[in-house]
Amino acid sequence: MSVERLILDLRRTLDDAGLVGSFLVRDLHSGDELGIDPDLEFPSASLVKIPLAIATLERIRTGELDGSTQILVQPGGITTPGPTGLSRFRHPARIAVDDLLYLSTAVSDGTAADALFDLTPPAEVAAMLQGLGLRGITVRHTVRDLNETLAERLDPADVHFAHFLAIEAGTAGRGHRVPQLDVTRANSGSARAFVELLQALWTPSAIDAGVTERVRALMADNVLRHRLAPDFSSDASKWSSKTGTLLNLRHEIGVVEHADGQVFGVAVLTESRVPAITQPGAEALMAQVARTLRDRLRQM
């Protein structure tokens, strides 16, 4: 089957499942790549925590921050809802900056991320990305702002209404009535932009080698492994990644390192037309499409 026919079939499969996506798989050694709408922008959701980690670690490297400094997090003081981490704490906690990095990146703890954003605001993170030559990823707001959607105001039984609004209120130009889903106002990026970020983390780049090593380790420790990990993890491969989820958005970016030395960057950003919170079929299809692209790339 030709590459063109393969891409057409994958597009049809995604459409039949109610998914639109930006996919890109790149051989990080050769630069060869295959994708589906790799330049289509999406709100980045928790993927923003990787640029945040880079900026924080760079400031630690230059001495602007001390990784051992403890930050006092008060219950209700940093009000970022989330299923794990500090948002579930009932009592004040002192957490070192280094440990906030782990919670933010590996556990996707939004409260930990906002404690880091309090140290390095979004505008500074964005400027640091630009200074490192990483363009195409915008950082405009905190995770706290990201989570102030209708879904947080509704009873659990009614959250599907927020998903219906997310699906119906978009525009052809990627604008949206929900600010967090509007690529002109939200943190955003495309599959290509995030693969460029992965390339900079896994191969020599303008980012300090010590910083890239720590970010790679944090991504390897990612505890959220229900999305692409089942199709990219094995005894003969290592999968390091970061997920992002908001309303009808489901993303994951990562790198698979094979025992034979091949290394592939993978970025998958999707939105669903199905107004449901739990969609295991969509999670599985994202991984299937990404793996199909990777398998075809290995054969080329």
Side-chain angles (χ1 to χ4, degrees):
M1 181 189 301
S2 69
V3 170
E4 292 76 13
R5 177 60 185 274
L6 174 66
I7 299 300
L8 183 63
D9 287 350
L10 292 176
R11 284 181 186 276
R12 185 178 297 115
T13 300
L14 289 166
D15 186 62
D16 289 345
L19 288 176
V20 173
S22 179
F23 290 72
L24 188 65
V25 180
R26 178 185 295 172
D27 183 325
L28 296 186
H29 292 324
S30 71
D32 295 337
E33 60 184 35
L34 282 178
I36 301 171
D37 294 326
D39 297 304
L40 185 62
E41 273 194 282
F42 284 84
S44 56
S46 283
L47 299 184
V48 74
K49 294 168 185 173
I50 298 301
L52 174 61
I54 293 170
T56 303
L57 287 164
E58 178 62 20
R59 293 189 67 200
I60 291 173
R61 182 187 73 82
T62 60
E64 295 178 49
L65 294 176
D66 185 339
S68 66
T69 298
Q70 295 187 359
I71 306 298
L72 178 63
V73 181
Q74 295 277 3
I78 300 176
T79 54
T80 303
T84 60
L86 296 174
S87 66
R88 297 298 182 184
F89 279 29
R90 297 183 178 184
H91 305 284
R94 288 189 177 276
I95 312 290
V97 172
D98 272 335
D99 295 325
L100 288 170
L101 275 167
Y102 167 76
L103 291 171
S104 172
T105 310
V107 186
S108 203
D109 182 340
T111 299
D114 276 338
L116 294 175
F117 268 130
D118 285 346
L119 298 173
T120 308
E124 290 187 33
V125 176
M128 192 165 294
L129 284 180
Q130 290 290 315
L132 293 169
L134 295 168
R135 295 171 176 80
I137 297 173
T138 63
V139 182
R140 297 184 173 105
H141 57 75
T142 65
V143 179
R144 183 185 301 113
D145 297 329
L146 181 70
N147 285 317
E148 292 178 351
T149 71
L150 181 62
E152 283 71 47
R153 303 186 185 97
L154 293 172
D155 291 332
D158 296 325
V159 171
H160 65 281
F161 288 118
H163 286 253
F164 182 80
L165 176 64
I167 294 164
E168 295 296 325
T171 71
R174 310 296 291 164
H176 208 285
R177 292 181 184 175
V178 178
Q180 295 88 343
L181 299 179
D182 186 332
V183 297
T184 68
R185 291 184 283 175
N187 301 329
S188 63
S190 64
R192 186 179 305 283
F194 279 105
V195 166
E196 292 291 343
L197 179 63
L198 296 172
Q199 181 92 51
L201 288 169
W202 260 261
T203 61
S205 70
I207 307 176
D208 176 77
V211 171
T212 62
E213 181 180 8
R214 180 74 195 286
V215 176
R216 291 197 303 268
L218 290 169
M219 293 176 68
D221 287 339
N222 181 19
V223 301
L224 302 176
R225 305 183 70 80
H226 63 291
R227 197 161 283 167
L228 301 189
D231 278 74
F232 286 99
S233 296
S234 73
D235 289 347
S237 64
K238 176 182 177 182
W239 176 245
S240 305
S241 69
K242 180 73 193 76
T243 59
T245 308
L246 176 67
L247 294 173
N248 64 328
L249 303 179
R250 290 170 178 80
H251 308 329
E252 186 161 358
I253 63 170
V255 170
V256 57
E257 300 171 79
H258 295 284
D260 64 5
Q262 287 188 299
V263 181
F264 295 90
V266 181
V268 177
L269 288 70
T270 71
E271 62 183 21
S272 173
R273 297 193 302 273
V274 179
I277 301 168
T278 303
Q279 297 187 43
E283 313 271 6
L285 182 58
M286 291 168 60
Q288 176 189 329
V289 171
R291 180 168 180 170
T292 299
L293 292 171
R294 190 284 313 270
D295 290 348
R296 183 56 180 265
L297 198 56
R298 293 186 81 177
Q299 298 168 6
M300 293 172 62

